[in-house]
């Protein structure tokens, strides 16, 4: 009998595990404004679904006495807000993921911060979610951050939303207040792409309409939050899309095996299928689908596999393998929606790193077509994007990449922007479409190249990039250096900041955005001079390191010398040859470098000139000496 009972329990346990495996999984996030009760709601879900162990509950009671904001009651928000800074401030900072289950479904919920400063973390949580639960404090109603989060959720491809009107107990379960908030939000959400939008009045603190129905709101006849989450129908979009797999690793354990490892982003692949390396266009057939558990006949979205191909085609990390009969777009320019996540603004023309899939590549925003008002969806003209602003932009890359429009494929149509100096993620983008000009413009092959032009002149071309404050003496030293080079029979040209603004850059002002574009144009012009075989001397304040680095990256490593004309600002003010400092100090000139606009000093210039300790002639000799030492001119 005992053995029979054990067998029955074992069989029941196996059946239970099988039932759990068959349950569907729903990913959702909670979002909204600060202190609307997102963490408390998730704590309530974990508490009511009995997923808190006794020791966790005891720890929660202790933490509630120390950090809680609910008086003598248990503060359920502390189940999710684990960072000390979160508990001290009573806000969510990082994204917290929690798992819970009911009889009908398994759930992974992302608790995202409501504070405007951490909008980037909200976007992270939304990128993998199927449903957005937008919380609103019944006392305060729909806030700007509520609208921003709703817009970002829609932009990131979430098609199902729940408006959770929380803290309804604090307005005495007033139906009129609930209907007022629901009407306001539904009117706003008409401009979004939600397929379903359900509004639920609830109290996360006391559990009203979360898991169980509340007897305090007989006027509400809709589902509880959990009832809705258990029944909302989520379409499997990734499986229906064509096969895509970003290559994360080229697997070469020995000379007899060469496979391409990655996680399948969409669609399915079978042995014998024809696949293409999207950028090169080369095709082959799948020979094997290799996993740690043995070979598979086929694999689908979400599976981590290694594919071996029947032919030796060039595939590298960052490439995209795709179904040969349904290939993605390939271009080096595209239009995209961009959420800016940095305190430092986005300026068109500034170089960044763009990461799409497993591929990282140099890129820049060439144009901000408009930014979007998250309250009215109005399109506003903009020359730059600031923290948490959302814009439609054109992006240019250093080389073509493969992608799908984000609306069709969230994995292959998403990218992030990375600052090259700090390596911080500063933007998240969703690709709309490739720009036609990206596929219509090709390099024209020329028989006379840079080397032959330089050989004719008997010199090695280079850029001497003079940077420093206004009045530092850049143009004076550059002029003397050119005179010496000219006397030595060298072919040169000077690009001077003031002179260029009379022609090429006459349309630009002195805002940070215009300064970035000013240097971008000059750097491209200097590159052409180098290609012509000349030694070009560029004399520009060029206040930002990012743009100076961009100019450096346009030419070969030994063709760029940064010359820092180092003059203290007090000395520049004393010289003030054009009277500009006096006007800037008096407020007559705005955005003047060193006064109300920043100058980022070079970190590792090839030549550092101290204008206080040396005369212009001595500094010119120092530059010529460095050119000789580097072999750029003959001794």
């Amino acid at each position: 009998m005992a053995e029979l009972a054990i067998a029955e329990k074992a069989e029941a346990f196996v059946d239970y595990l099988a039932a759990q495996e068959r349950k569907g999984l729903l990913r959702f996030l909670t979002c909204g404004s600060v202190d609307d009760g997102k963490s408390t709601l998730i704590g309530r879900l974990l508490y009511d679904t009995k997923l808190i162990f006794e020791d966790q509950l005891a720890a929660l009671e202790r933490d509630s006495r120390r950090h809680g904001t609910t008086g003598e009651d248990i503060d359920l928000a502390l189940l999710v807000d684990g960072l000390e800074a979160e508990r001290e401030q009573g806000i969510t900072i990082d994204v917290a993921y929690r798992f819970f289950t009911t009889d009908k479904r398994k759930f992974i919920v992302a608790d995202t911060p409501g504070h405007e400063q951490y909008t980037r973390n909200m976007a992270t949580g939304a990128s993998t979610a199927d449903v957005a639960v937008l919380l609103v404090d019944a006392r305060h109603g729909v806030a700007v951050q509520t609208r921003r989060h709703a817009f970002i959720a829609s932009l990131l491809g979430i098609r199902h939303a729940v408006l959770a009107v929380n803290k309804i107990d604090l307005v005495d379960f007033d139906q009129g207040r609930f209907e007022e908030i629901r009407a306001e939000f539904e009117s706003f959400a008409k401009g979004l792409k939600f397929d379903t939008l359900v509004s639920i009045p609830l109290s996360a603190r006391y559990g009203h309409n979360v898991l169980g129905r509340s007897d305090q709101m007989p006027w509400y006849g809709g589902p509880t939050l959990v009832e809705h989450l258990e029944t909302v129908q989520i379409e499997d979009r990734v499986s229906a899309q064509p096969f895509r797999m970003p290559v994360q690793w080229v697997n070469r354990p020995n000379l007899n095996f060469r496979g391409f490892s990655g996680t399948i982003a969409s669609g399915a692949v079978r042995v014998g299928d024809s696949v293409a390396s999207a950028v090169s266009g080369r095709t082959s057939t799948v020979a094997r689908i290799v996993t740690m558990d043995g070979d598979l006949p086929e694999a689908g979205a979400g599976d981590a596999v290694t594919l071996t191909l029947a032919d030796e085609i060039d595939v590298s990390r960052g490439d995209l393998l795709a179904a040969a009969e349904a290939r993605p777009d390939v271009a080096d320019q595209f239009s995209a929606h961009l959420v800016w996540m940095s305190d430092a603004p986005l300026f068109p023309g500034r170089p960044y790193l763009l990461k799409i899939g497993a591929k990282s590549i140099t890129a820049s925003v060439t144009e901000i077509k408009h930014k979007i008002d998250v309250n009215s969806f109005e399109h506003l003209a903009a020359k730059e994007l600031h923290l948490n602003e959302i814009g439609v932009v054109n992006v240019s890359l250093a080389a073509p990449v493969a992608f799908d429009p984000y609306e069709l494929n969230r994995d292959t149509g998403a990218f992030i922007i990375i600052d090259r100096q700090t390596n911080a993620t500063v933007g998240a983008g969703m690709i709309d479409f490739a720009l036609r000009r990206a596929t219509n413009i090709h390099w024209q092959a020329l028989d006379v190249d840079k080397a032959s032009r330089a050989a004719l002149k008997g010199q090695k071309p280079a850029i001497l990039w003079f940077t420093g404050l206004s009045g530092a003496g850049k143009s004076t030293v550059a002029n003397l250096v050119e005179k010496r080079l000219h006397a030595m029979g060298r072919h040169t040209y000077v690009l001077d900041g003031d002179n260029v603004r009379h022609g090429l850059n006459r349309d630009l002002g002195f805002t940070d955005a215009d300064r970035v574009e000013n240097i971008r144009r000059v750097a491209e012009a200097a590159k052409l001079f180098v290609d012509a075989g000349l030694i070009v001397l560029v004399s520009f304040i060029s206040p930002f390191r990012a743009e100076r680095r961009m100019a450096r990256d346009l030419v070969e490593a030994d063709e760029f010398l940064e010359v820092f004309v180092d003059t203290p600002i007090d000395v520049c003010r004393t010289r003030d040859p054009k009277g500009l400092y006096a006007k800037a100090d008096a407020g007559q000139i705005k955005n003047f470098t060193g006064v109300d606009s920043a100058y980022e000093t070079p970190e590792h210039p090839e030549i550092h000139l101290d204008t206080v300790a040396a005369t212009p002639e001595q500094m010119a000799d120092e530059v010529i000496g460095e050119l000789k030492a580097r072999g750029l001119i003959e001794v």
Side-chain angles (χ1 to χ4, degrees):
M1 292 293 292
E3 293 180 354
L4 180 60
I6 293 173
E8 289 176 347
K9 289 181 179 178
E11 183 179 355
F13 183 68
V14 170
D15 291 342
Y16 171 79
L17 291 179
Q20 295 300 312
E21 287 294 325
R22 288 192 296 271
K23 283 184 185 178
L25 174 66
L26 177 76
R27 296 175 179 268
F28 71 96
L29 82 155
T30 58
C31 53
S33 193
V34 176
D35 201 31
D36 280 350
K38 297 177 291 297
S39 298
T40 302
L41 175 61
I42 296 177
R44 171 58 63 183
L45 289 169
L46 297 175
Y47 185 85
D48 285 356
T49 53
K50 296 179 172 54
L51 290 178
I52 303 175
F53 295 108
E54 289 185 5
D55 59 333
Q56 288 179 303
L57 187 58
L60 179 61
E61 291 173 347
R62 291 194 303 270
D63 290 341
S64 296
R65 288 192 292 270
R66 180 182 176 189
H67 299 288
T69 60
T70 56
E72 296 298 320
D73 296 333
I74 293 176
D75 190 347
L76 294 171
L78 298 180
L79 282 170
V80 185
D81 290 338
L83 298 176
E84 187 69 19
E86 293 179 320
R87 296 184 171 198
E88 289 175 354
Q89 299 177 58
I91 63 172
T92 300
I93 295 174
D94 202 359
V95 182
Y97 294 93
R98 293 292 185 270
F99 172 86
F100 71 96
T101 182
T102 66
D103 291 338
K104 297 181 179 180
R105 213 171 214 170
K106 294 180 289 187
F107 301 92
I108 294 178
V109 54
D111 180 31
T112 64
H115 198 285
E116 185 174 346
Q117 181 181 348
Y118 304 110
T119 298
R120 71 180 70 188
N121 294 345
M122 178 270 162
T124 299
S127 63
T128 58
D130 302 306
V131 177
V133 178
L134 291 139
L135 278 88
V136 173
D137 189 322
R139 298 168 299 171
H140 307 312
V142 178
V144 172
Q145 191 72 334
T146 314
R147 295 186 177 93
R148 180 181 286 113
H149 281 190
F151 185 87
I152 292 175
S154 173
L155 195 62
L156 286 168
I158 295 177
R159 294 293 170 259
H160 304 277
V162 177
L163 178 68
V165 181
N166 191 26
K167 304 185 182 181
I168 194 72
D169 54 299
L170 297 182
V171 293
D172 297 325
F173 304 97
D174 184 5
Q175 180 181 6
R177 181 57 176 158
F178 169 72
E179 296 295 346
E180 179 185 350
I181 294 172
R182 178 170 68 174
E184 179 184 356
F185 186 81
E186 288 181 351
S187 175
F188 161 79
K190 288 179 181 178
L192 302 177
K193 297 180 179 179
F194 294 131
D195 293 338
T196 64
L197 173 59
V198 174
S199 299
I200 302 173
L202 56 84
S203 170
R205 179 177 177 182
Y206 297 109
H208 297 289
N209 283 344
V210 178
L211 184 64
R213 194 168 298 279
S214 171
D215 57 6
Q216 299 289 333
M217 291 174 279
W219 45 265
Y220 174 71
T224 66
L225 176 63
V226 171
E227 286 173 349
H228 176 68
L229 294 176
E230 285 179 330
T231 56
V232 62
Q233 296 298 312
I234 305 299
E235 62 278 11
D236 186 3
R237 290 179 292 174
V238 293
S239 297
Q241 294 297 320
F243 167 68
R244 303 283 188 265
M245 190 186 85
V247 176
Q248 297 171 301
W249 180 42
V250 179
N251 190 348
R252 290 296 304 272
N254 55 60
L255 294 175
N256 300 318
F257 185 92
R258 183 169 183 259
F260 307 105
S261 302
T263 300
I264 298 175
S266 65
V269 64
R270 300 167 183 81
V271 173
D273 281 358
S274 179
V275 297
S277 175
V279 174
S280 70
R282 298 289 301 276
T283 62
S284 183
T285 55
V286 176
R288 294 173 60 192
I289 302 175
V290 183
T291 73
M292 287 290 293
D293 299 321
D295 286 14
L296 300 175
E298 67 176 283
D303 292 336
V305 298
T306 296
L307 303 183
T308 66
L309 304 181
D311 306 288
E312 290 289 336
I313 66 173
D314 184 19
V315 178
S316 304
R317 171 178 164 80
D319 288 347
L320 184 68
L321 292 177
E325 72 282 359
R327 304 187 190 190
D329 292 324
V330 176
D332 61 1
Q333 296 182 61
F334 53 73
S335 177
H337 281 75
L338 183 65
V339 182
W340 194 246
M341 301 175 172
S342 173
D343 291 323
L346 164 72
F347 298 126
R350 173 164 288 181
Y352 297 94
L353 286 179
L354 183 145
K355 190 172 189 297
I356 179 168
K359 189 176 187 66
S360 296
I361 189 169
T362 300
S364 65
V365 170
T366 56
E367 179 187 4
I368 299 175
K369 297 162 77 172
H370 58 262
K371 66 180 180 181
I372 302 171
D373 186 320
V374 297
N375 293 304
S376 64
F377 305 130
E378 183 181 1
H379 293 178
L380 306 174
K383 285 191 174 183
E384 54 199 59
L385 288 182
H386 294 271
L387 177 66
N388 295 330
E389 289 188 331
I390 301 167
V392 175
V393 302
N394 289 343
V395 179
S396 176
L397 303 100
V401 297
F403 56 84
D404 294 290
Y406 185 85
E407 190 172 19
L408 298 179
N409 194 315
R410 290 167 69 172
D411 287 288
T412 59
F415 63 90
I416 60 173
I417 301 289
I418 302 170
D419 185 275
R420 300 174 66 184
Q421 302 289 334
T422 64
N423 209 36
T425 299
V426 294
M430 291 67 68
I431 299 174
D432 295 326
F433 52 84
L435 298 177
R436 290 181 59 86
R437 61 175 177 266
T439 55
N440 293 340
I441 300 175
H442 305 275
W443 280 102
Q444 176 63 45
L446 301 174
D447 294 329
V448 180
D449 59 10
K450 176 173 64 177
S452 59
R453 298 185 191 102
L456 183 65
K457 297 174 177 61
Q459 65 184 36
K460 180 172 177 57
I463 296 175
L464 299 180
W465 193 281
F466 293 81
T467 177
L469 294 169
S470 177
K474 300 180 299 299
S475 297
T476 300
V477 178
N479 183 52
L480 288 171
V481 171
E482 186 184 32
K483 288 172 67 176
R484 283 165 169 69
L485 291 173
H486 185 73
M488 298 168 66
R490 303 302 164 199
H491 298 258
T492 62
Y493 195 83
V494 172
L495 290 171
D496 183 80
D498 286 346
N499 294 346
V500 170
R501 281 187 177 272
H502 285 293
L504 177 65
N505 293 347
R506 67 184 302 174
D507 60 317
L508 299 177
F510 292 91
T511 65
D512 285 350
D514 283 346
R515 288 180 185 276
V516 171
E517 175 61 13
N518 184 43
I519 299 305
R520 188 195 69 81
R521 294 184 192 178
V522 169
E524 291 287 353
K527 176 186 175 183
L528 295 177
F529 278 109
V530 169
D531 196 54
L534 300 179
I535 298 174
V536 56
L537 299 89
V538 180
S539 176
F540 276 70
I541 295 174
S542 46
F544 303 125
R545 295 190 189 106
E547 279 61 64
R548 298 196 297 266
R549 179 171 177 174
M550 176 269 295
R552 182 187 293 273
D553 290 346
L554 289 176
V555 295
E556 296 176 25
D558 59 348
E559 292 178 343
F560 189 96
L561 277 74
E562 187 174 35
V563 184
F564 179 29
V565 185
D566 188 359
T567 307
I569 190 168
D570 291 339
V571 176
C572 294
R573 277 194 169 95
T574 301
R575 294 174 181 173
D576 204 9
K578 304 169 188 175
L580 299 179
Y581 280 99
K583 293 181 179 179
D585 289 335
Q588 298 174 16
I589 299 177
K590 299 296 183 184
N591 303 311
F592 192 79
T593 304
V595 178
D596 58 351
S597 184
Y599 177 77
E600 299 172 357
T601 57
E603 295 176 317
H604 304 290
E606 281 75 14
I607 304 174
H608 189 161
L609 303 179
D610 184 349
T611 67
V612 176
T615 65
E617 290 74 15
Q618 290 171 328
M619 290 185 286
D621 290 338
E622 185 177 342
V623 174
I624 294 296
E626 185 67 23
L627 295 179
K628 290 179 178 178
R630 292 175 176 268
L632 292 173
I633 57 177
E634 295 179 2
V635 179

